[in-house]
Amino acid sequence: MNTIGKVAIVISVIAFLAFYNWLPDMCGNDIYSETLSPNGELKAVIFQRDCGATTGFSTQVSILDTDEALENESGNIFRMDGHPNDAAPIVSWESDSALTIKKSVNNKEYFAESTYGWFNTIQIRYSS
């Protein structure tokens, strides 16, 4: 491959990456509720994630540090179909290291972690 071809490939890759990074994210999160751990160091955040007209609503849960903002990402411990007004689970901290999620049996769940964190692991229990 000649030099002009290599330069054209490099310019194309740079242009693609720049265009991709400047595109707005189609997804968004709206917080439904937050529940603090007993020691106040963590919070369980229930939120609605919506990724545009071609997808339905989903209700998701993330565990975050108390001072941490919810990023525009999927839930890190639990995800299910349905709008939080209709499908929000009941989240309760049993202790600083145990969280219980009481979920609806009417909505399809597609992600459910049983633990969270590397150090000081949080055990996650589910009930219906």
Side-chain angles (χ1 to χ4, degrees), residues 24 30-31 45 54 67 86 89 91 96 102 107 116 118 122 128:
D30 291 313
I31 294 175
V45 181
T54 59
D67 60 353
D86 304 318
V91 173
D96 293 326
K102 185 175 181 182
N107 297 77
Y116 171 80
W118 293 95
I122 307 298
S128 299

Side-chain angles (χ1 to χ4, degrees), residues 9 11-12 24 27-28 31 36 40 47-48 52-54 60 69 71 76 79 84 88 98 104 108 110 115 119 125 128:
I9 289 173
I11 290 172
S12 296
C27 296
I31 294 175
L36 290 177
F47 61 97
Q48 170 198 317
T54 59
Q60 304 192 15
E71 298 290 331
N76 63 16
R79 302 175 203 149
S104 168
K108 178 184 172 193
Y110 50 94
T115 61
F119 303 104
R125 300 180 190 111
S128 299

Side-chain angles (χ1 to χ4, degrees), residues 18-115:
F19 180 73
Y20 180 78
N21 286 328
W22 288 326
L23 286 175
D25 193 345
M26 295 297 294
C27 296
N29 294 339
D30 291 313
I31 294 175
Y32 180 77
S33 70
E34 295 181 354
T35 306
L36 290 177
S37 63
N39 66 7
E41 292 181 8
L42 297 173
K43 61 185 175 183
V45 181
I46 300 173
F47 61 97
Q48 170 198 317
R49 184 156 175 85
D50 182 10
C51 291
T54 59
T55 63
F57 294 111
S58 68
T59 297
Q60 304 192 15
V61 181
S62 283
I63 294 176
L64 304 171
D65 289 336
T66 301
D67 60 353
E68 186 178 356
L70 179 66
E71 298 290 331
N72 190 13
E73 297 173 351
S74 297
N76 63 16
I77 61 167
F78 183 72
R79 302 175 203 149
M80 69 186 297
D81 287 338
H83 192 284
N85 289 340
D86 304 318
I90 298 170
V91 173
S92 60
W93 290 92
E94 304 305 320
S95 69
D96 293 326
S97 61
L99 181 74
T100 298
I101 297 176
K102 185 175 181 182
K103 56 192 172 72
S104 168
V105 294
N106 298 327
N107 297 77
K108 178 184 172 193
E109 108 186 15
Y110 50 94
F111 182 79
E113 291 287 343
S114 60
T115 61

